[in-house]
Coordinates of all heavy atoms in Angstrom, one line a residue:
Chain G
Q44 N 117.1 92.7 129.3 CA 118.1 92.1 128.3 C 117.9 92.8 127.0 O 116.8 93.1 126.5 CB 117.9 90.6 128.2 CG 119.1 90.0 127.6 CD 118.9 88.5 127.5 OE1 117.9 87.9 127.9 NE2 119.9 87.8 126.9
L62 N 107.1 116.4 123.9 CA 106.5 117.5 124.7 C 106.6 118.8 123.9 O 105.7 119.7 124.2 CB 107.3 117.7 126.0 CG 106.9 116.7 127.1 CD1 107.8 116.8 128.3 CD2 105.4 116.8 127.5
T84 N 107.8 105.6 98.4 CA 108.2 106.6 97.3 C 108.7 105.8 96.1 O 108.3 106.2 94.9 CB 109.3 107.5 97.8 OG1 108.8 108.1 99.1 CG2 109.5 108.6 96.8
P95 N 101.3 99.6 82.9 CA 100.4 98.6 83.4 C 100.2 98.8 84.9 O 99.0 98.6 85.4 CB 101.1 97.2 83.2 CG 102.0 97.5 82.0 CD 102.4 98.9 82.2
R97 N 100.5 101.5 86.5 CA 99.7 102.8 86.7 C 98.2 102.5 86.5 O 97.4 103.0 87.3 CB 100.2 103.8 85.7 CG 99.7 105.2 86.0 CD 100.5 106.3 85.2 NE 100.4 106.1 83.8 CZ 101.4 106.0 82.9 NH1 102.6 106.2 83.4 NH2 101.2 105.9 81.6
T104 N 92.1 102.0 92.8 CA 91.6 103.2 93.5 C 90.1 103.4 93.1 O 89.3 103.8 94.0 CB 92.4 104.5 93.0 OG1 93.7 104.2 93.2 CG2 92.0 105.7 93.8
L136 N 106.4 92.5 133.4 CA 106.0 91.3 134.1 C 107.1 90.2 133.9 O 107.4 89.5 134.8 CB 104.7 90.8 133.6 CG 103.4 91.6 133.9 CD1 102.2 91.0 133.3 CD2 103.3 91.8 135.4
E158 N 117.6 85.1 109.7 CA 117.0 84.0 110.4 C 115.5 84.1 110.1 O 114.9 85.2 110.3 CB 117.2 84.0 111.9 CG 116.6 82.9 112.6 CD 116.8 83.0 114.2 OE1 117.5 84.0 114.6 OE2 116.4 82.2 114.9
L161 N 109.5 85.2 113.3 CA 108.2 86.0 113.3 C 108.6 87.5 113.0 O 107.9 88.2 112.2 CB 107.5 85.9 114.6 CG 106.3 86.7 114.8 CD1 105.2 86.4 113.7 CD2 105.7 86.6 116.2
C181 N 104.0 102.5 111.2 CA 103.8 103.7 112.0 C 102.3 103.9 112.3 O 101.9 104.3 113.4 CB 104.3 105.0 111.3 SG 106.0 104.9 110.7
V275 N 85.4 134.3 103.5 CA 85.4 132.9 103.2 C 85.7 132.8 101.7 O 84.9 133.1 100.9 CB 84.0 132.3 103.5 CG1 84.0 130.8 103.1 CG2 83.6 132.5 104.9

Side-chain angles (χ1 to χ4, degrees):
Chain G
Q44 199 181 355
L62 280 173
T84 307
R97 196 166 58 230
T104 308
L136 292 180
E158 183 185 357
L161 177 61
C181 307
V275 180

